[in-house]
Structures are given as C-alpha cells and as structure tokens.
Amino acid sequence: MGKRDDLIAKYADDLKNKCGMTPDMDLLTKVTIGCGPSIYNADASTVAAGQEAELDTVKNNFLIKKLGLADGPQLMDAINATIETYGRSEHNKYRAVVYYMLTKHFGKEAVYG
C-alpha cells in the first residue's frame, strides 16, 4: 500500500471510531484524491476548527466552489455540526474526513461521480 492508501485507511478509521459512521470507501477515496497534495502536509491535512478563517476557507473553497452550494447560514451550521460529530476536543480533524462528512451531509456525492 502507498502513502495515500495508508491515509485513506486512517480516515476510514476516524469515520468509524470517532464519528460513528461506516464510510463509503469509494467516495472517501475520491474525496481524499480531491484534496490533492494537502493530505501529505501536516498543517494543510487538518482543519483548525477553532479558527474562524479556516472555517471560512472550508465554506468558500469546498462547499461553495467545489460542491456548488449557495452561500447562506446553513453552510456554517453544517460545518459546525460536522466539527461536533468529529469531536471538538479531537486534536486532528482531517480535512478529507471533514470534506467527506460535508459531502454526505449535503447529498453531493455526484460531484465525485
């Protein structure tokens, strides 16, 4: 297995054990690939949930640009709900896991079709 496969396995483990969901491995793989090289960078691979600017980046670059959603309070509500599901106290909130959960939340799996 390559480094990306190891990361996908780690993300799947987080989804199962920290978020209480059974991951769709095909979608998780596509979301992870969609994150590009950021998954290999310790800082970029995680979402700093306590930083407003970071949450805005998730909203603007992922939800609006990637998933094509209209801006509105429901986007930040979904981000906050995802962070709660992952666990606010959880130090490493992996970007691919957060993006996966947001993709599922909004039913936008077709973007990765």
Side-chain angles (χ1 to χ4, degrees), residues 24-99:
D24 171 341
M25 292 308 291
D26 187 46
L27 178 64
L28 180 58
T29 300
K30 290 174 180 173
V31 170
T32 302
I33 292 168
C35 288
S38 71
I39 62 170
Y40 304 110
N41 178 302
D43 185 47
S45 69
T46 58
V47 173
Q51 296 177 6
E52 202 61 42
E54 175 76 1
L55 300 181
D56 283 339
T57 299
V58 170
K59 182 180 89 166
N60 294 320
N61 293 355
F62 184 69
L63 295 179
I64 296 172
K65 289 181 184 164
K66 178 72 179 174
L67 297 187
L69 297 167
D71 195 1
Q74 76 282 5
L75 299 185
M76 206 46 89
D77 290 347
I79 291 169
N80 284 316
T82 297
I83 301 296
E84 287 299 326
T85 300
Y86 212 141
R88 284 230 176 251
S89 61
E90 184 56 44
H91 183 65
N92 286 328
K93 292 177 194 61
Y94 292 107
R95 187 169 305 277
V97 174
V98 171
Y99 285 9

Side-chain angles (χ1 to χ4, degrees), residues 99-112:
Y99 285 9
Y100 171 89
M101 288 196 286
L102 287 167
T103 301
K104 292 292 259 184
H105 175 85
F106 286 107
K108 287 292 199 172
E109 294 89 342
V111 169
Y112 290 98

